Amino acid sequence: MNGSEIDEFIGALLILIGGIISVISALGIIRFPDVYTRAHAATKSTTLGVLLSLVGAFIYIWLTENFISVRLILGIVFVFITAPVSGHLIIRAAYRSKVKMAEDTVEDELKAVLDSKT
């Protein structure tokens, strides 16, 4: 194996791991019982999967073609910033709209915080 094949392997491995994490996240979105746990699966693991795929593509292009893609860097930064923030805002809106939690939920830690502020 020469250096170019190792570079391709590293990029492809990161893309593959990102794809696997995204599939696991999709299964979590389908299987979890309520909107809060589904949003957790959608924001946390999907963000990681997409970021790994984009980093893998960036490394592959950088090491094989000696080209630094500004578009991929911007995509990585954009996903890293917007996905967790949007998930947080959606869940906060769902909580304030009094969307029911799953029956298995043991403790609502946010209720005490919001009640103490009012």
Side-chain angles (χ1 to χ4, degrees):
M1 277 185 114
N2 60 13
S4 177
E5 290 177 355
I6 293 173
D7 299 342
E8 291 176 5
F9 178 74
I10 290 171
L13 183 66
L14 286 174
I15 293 170
L16 178 67
I17 292 170
I20 291 170
I21 290 174
S22 294
V23 168
I24 292 170
S25 174
L27 291 174
I29 292 170
I30 294 170
R31 298 279 302 169
F32 284 152
D34 62 351
V35 68
Y36 305 105
T37 53
R38 287 178 183 164
H40 181 76
T43 56
K44 303 292 185 208
S45 55
T46 303
T47 301
L48 179 63
V50 170
L51 287 176
L52 281 175
S53 297
L54 289 175
V55 168
F58 176 78
I59 289 174
Y60 178 81
I61 291 171
W62 180 34
L63 296 176
T64 58
E65 299 181 15
N66 293 327
F67 176 74
I68 294 178
S69 175
V70 177
R71 290 180 185 170
L72 281 174
I73 293 172
L74 289 174
I76 291 168
V77 170
F78 182 74
V79 169
F80 186 71
I81 292 172
T82 58
V85 172
S86 64
H88 172 77
L89 291 175
I90 290 170
I91 291 305
R92 188 170 75 172
Y95 188 83
R96 291 188 177 188
S97 298
K98 303 198 184 321
V99 175
K100 278 188 72 169
M101 293 184 181
E103 299 294 326
D104 298 338
T105 303
V106 177
E107 183 178 357
D108 183 6
E109 295 177 0
L110 189 57
K111 184 175 183 177
V113 173
L114 290 179
D115 288 344
S116 67
K117 288 185 179 181
T118 59

